[in-house]
C-alpha cells in the first residue's frame, strides 16, 4: 500500500506553487539578446498569424496515430493497448509540444491505481519560469529543478521533460518563436505607426481659397477663416463671405499591405520553414507550392519524431510500474504518407491485398458493429457488363 501511495501521490502542490511563481524572475537565457523576459513569447502568440501557424504545426502532429510494437508478452501488450490510448497520448503531447514554440516543456505525470494497475490519470504542466538549472548539483547535468520547491525533475516516472533541439547543447532548447521575433516586432511597430498616422490624417482637412489685395489683409483673413473652420463638425453648415472655393484635402498611407505581407511571410518561414502552403501566394507556381508543402511536412515529421521519444518514456514507465523486468513495447508515431482513396481503390480492383484495419484507422471508414450492420454492394452478374445488366433488367418492352 505504501508503494501505491508513493506512485499516485502528487509531488507538486499547484495551489501553493502558483503564489511563488508569480514573483519569480524568468531564467530563460534565450531572451537575453532582446532584453525581454519570457512574456514576450506570450505577446507574440497574441498575433493571429503567429498563433495560427503554431496551432497548425502542433495539430498536425496531434492528429497522427501511434502504434505499439508487440513484445510477444500478451499481458504486457494487452495492458499497454488498453491503458495507453490515443486520448492519453493526445493529452500528454498537447503539453510536450509546447517545447516547439518555447524551447522546453515540462509536466508532472499523475498516476492512479485502478483495477490492480498504475495508469496515467492526467498531466500537470510546469511553467518554464518555475524551473532553473543549478550550476553545481549531484543530479545529472541538464536536469531542470523546480526552483521554489528545490525538487529535481529527474524522476522519469513522475516527470517528463521535452526540448525542441537543433543538435546544439542548449539546456533551454531551441524556441521556434525566437526566429520570428524580429519580423513580429517590426510588424508591431508598423501597425503602431499606421494607427498613429491614420488618427492624424483620418479626418480630411478643409481648405478655403480667397483673394486679398495685400499680405496684411491675407494674413488677417486667413486667421479668421482658420478660426471659423476649426469649429466645424460633421453636419455643420455656415456661410462665409469673400470665398472663391472650399476644398477638402485627403491624405493616404501607402504600402501598409506590403509591410504586413512581408512580415507575415518571414514569420511563416521562421515557424514553418516555408510560406506558400500557409500564405496566399499571388505568383507561386504549382511546383513551388508542392515543394513548400513537402518542406512543411518534413518539419512536422521532425516534431513527431522528437515527441515520440518522450512518448516512449511514458510507455517505459507504465511497464516498469506494472510489469517490472518485462520487455517494453516500442511506440512509433506513424508520420508516413498514406495512399489516397483512388490509389487504394485501384489496388483493391487489381486484387492487391489491402489492410482492412488500416482502412478503418487511417481513412476513418465507419467500422460495422457486426455482420448485420455491414453494408456490402451487391455484385452484378460476371456475364454482363454494367450496361448489359441494365438492359436485361428492363421490365418494359422496347419499341
Amino acid at each position: 500500500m505504501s508503494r501505491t501511495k508513493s506512485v499516485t501521490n502528487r509531488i507538486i502542490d499547484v495551489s501553493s506553487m502558483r503564489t511563488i511563481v508569480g514573483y519569480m524572475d524568468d531564467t530563460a537565457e534565450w531572451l537575453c539578446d532582446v532584453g525581454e523576459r519570457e512574456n514576450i513569447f506570450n505577446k507574440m502568440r497574441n498575433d493571429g498569424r503567429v498563433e495560427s501557424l503554431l496551432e497548425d504545426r502542433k495539430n498536425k502532429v496531434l492528429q497522427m496515430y501511434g502504434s505499439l510494437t508487440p513484445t510477444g508478452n500478451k499481458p504486457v501488450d494487452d495492458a499497454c493497448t488498453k491503458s495507453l490510448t490515443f486520448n492519453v497520448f493526445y493529452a500528454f503531447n498537447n503539453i510536450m509540444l509546447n517545447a516547439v514554440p518555447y524551447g522546453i516543456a515540462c509536466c508532472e505525470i499523475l498516476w492512479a491505481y485502478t483495477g490492480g494497475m498504475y495508469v496515467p490519470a492526467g498531466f500537470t504542466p510546469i511553467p518554464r519560469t518555475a524551473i532553473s538549472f543549478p550550476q553545481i548539483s549531484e543530479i545529472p547535468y541538464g536536469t531542470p529543478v523546480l526552483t521554489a520547491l528545490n525538487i529535481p525533475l529527474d524522476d522519469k516516472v513522475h516527470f517528463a521533460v521535452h526540448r525542441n533541439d537543433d543538435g546544439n547543447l542548449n539546456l533551454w532548447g531551441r524556441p521556434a518563436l525566437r526566429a520570428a521575433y524580429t519580423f513580429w516586432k517590426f510588424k508591431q511597430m508598423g501597425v503602431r505607426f499606421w494607427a498613429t498616422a491614420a488618427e492624424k490624417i483620418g479626418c480630411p482637412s478643409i481648405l478655403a481659397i480667397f483673394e486679398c489685395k495685400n499680405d496684411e489683409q491675407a494674413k488677417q483673413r486667413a486667421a479668421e477663416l482658420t478660426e471659423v473652420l476649426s469649429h466645424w463638425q460633421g453636419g455643420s453648415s455656415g456661410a462665409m463671405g469673400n470665398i472663391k472655393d472650399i476644398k477638402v484635402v485627403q491624405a493616404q498611407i501607402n504600402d501598409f499591405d506590403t509591410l504586413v505581407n512581408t512580415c507575415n511571410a518571414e514569420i511563416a518561414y521562421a515557424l514553418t520553414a516555408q510560406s506558400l502552403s500557409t500564405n496566399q501566394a499571388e505568383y507561386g507556381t504549382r511546383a513551388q507550392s508542392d515543394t513548400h508543402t513537402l518542406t512543411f511536412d518534413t518539419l512536422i515529421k521532425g516534431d513527431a519524431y522528437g515527441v515520440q521519444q518522450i512518448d516512449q518514456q511514458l510507455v517505459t514507465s507504465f511497464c516498469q510500474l506494472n510489469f517490472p523486468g518485462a520487455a517494453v513495447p516500442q511506440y512509433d508515431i506513424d508520420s508516413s504518407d498514406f495512399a489516397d482513396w483512388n490509389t487504394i481503390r485501384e489496388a483493391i480492383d487489381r486484387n492487391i491485398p489491402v489492410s482492412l484495419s488500416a482502412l478503418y484507422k487511417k481513412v476513418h471508414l465507419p467500422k460495422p458493429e457486426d455482420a448485420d450492420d455491414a453494408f456490402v454492394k451487391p455484385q452484378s452478374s460476371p456475364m454482363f457488363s454494367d450496361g448489359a445488366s441494365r438492359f436485361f433488367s428492363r421490365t418494359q418492352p422496347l419499341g
Side-chain angles (χ1 to χ4, degrees), residues 135-198:
Q135 297 295 325
I136 301 176
S137 177
E138 296 179 356
I139 63 175
Y141 176 76
T143 301
V145 172
L146 196 61
T147 310
L149 305 178
N150 196 28
I151 298 176
L153 307 185
D154 57 344
D155 183 356
K156 293 185 178 181
V157 172
H158 287 100
F159 299 108
V161 179
H162 177 49
R163 292 178 178 86
N164 184 48
D165 197 4
D166 57 359
N168 295 323
L169 182 59
N170 190 339
L171 298 180
W172 291 98
R174 177 69 180 179
L177 283 172
R178 182 175 183 174
Y181 172 80
T182 300
F183 280 92
W184 169 82
K185 193 71 173 179
F186 187 69
K187 178 181 173 183
Q188 298 302 305
M189 291 187 295
V191 171
R192 291 194 193 100
F193 166 79
W194 178 85
T196 302

Side-chain angles (χ1 to χ4, degrees), residues 201-209 229 232 245-251:
I201 69 174
C203 298
S205 300
I206 302 175
L207 179 63
I209 301 175
L229 294 176
W232 278 18
D245 193 9
I246 293 181
K247 294 184 177 297
V248 177
V249 180
Q250 296 280 1

Side-chain angles (χ1 to χ4, degrees), residues 24 103 149 165 207-208 220-221 235-236 243 269 271 287 294 336 368 381 394:
M24 294 178 60
L149 305 178
D165 197 4
L207 179 63
Q220 182 179 357
R221 184 58 175 160
S236 299
I243 298 295
Y269 274 112
L271 299 181
L294 180 61
S336 60
S381 173
R394 290 185 179 181

Side-chain angles (χ1 to χ4, degrees), residues 363-385:
V363 187
H364 303 293
L365 292 176
K367 187 176 181 178
E369 296 180 0
D370 48 40
D372 294 335
D373 186 47
F375 173 78
V376 180
K377 178 182 177 181
Q379 296 292 329
S380 60
S381 173
M383 298 179 59
F384 305 106
S385 63

Side-chain angles (χ1 to χ4, degrees), residues 275-381:
S275 64
L276 283 184
S277 67
T278 53
N279 281 9
Q280 184 176 358
E282 185 176 358
Y283 302 109
T285 64
R286 173 68 180 272
Q288 287 176 322
S289 179
D290 291 343
T291 301
H292 282 225
T293 300
L294 180 61
T295 301
F296 191 26
D297 289 342
T298 303
L299 185 69
I300 297 302
K301 292 177 182 178
D303 293 341
Y305 178 78
V307 80
Q308 175 181 293
Q309 310 305 308
I310 200 67
D311 289 342
Q312 182 64 50
Q313 176 183 316
L314 182 65
V315 177
T316 302
S317 297
F318 174 81
C319 292
Q320 288 177 349
L321 289 173
N322 297 292
F323 306 96
V328 178
Q330 182 68 35
Y331 182 76
D332 294 304
I333 295 180
D334 189 359
S335 59
S336 60
D337 296 330
F338 197 70
D340 57 54
W341 178 248
N342 290 332
T343 303
I344 296 173
R345 185 173 58 185
E346 184 177 353
I348 295 174
D349 291 341
R350 294 178 180 273
N351 295 323
I352 298 176
V354 176
S355 170
L356 185 61
S357 62
L359 290 179
Y360 289 130
K361 182 180 294 185
K362 297 281 186 134
V363 187
H364 303 293
L365 292 176
K367 187 176 181 178
E369 296 180 0
D370 48 40
D372 294 335
D373 186 47
F375 173 78
V376 180
K377 178 182 177 181
Q379 296 292 329
S380 60
S381 173

Side-chain angles (χ1 to χ4, degrees), residues 80-101:
C80 289
T81 301
K82 179 181 179 180
S83 300
L84 302 178
T85 62
F86 174 84
N87 290 337
V88 170
F89 285 111
Y90 186 96
F92 185 54
N93 292 339
N94 192 39
I95 298 174
M96 292 292 97
L97 283 170
N98 284 322
V100 172

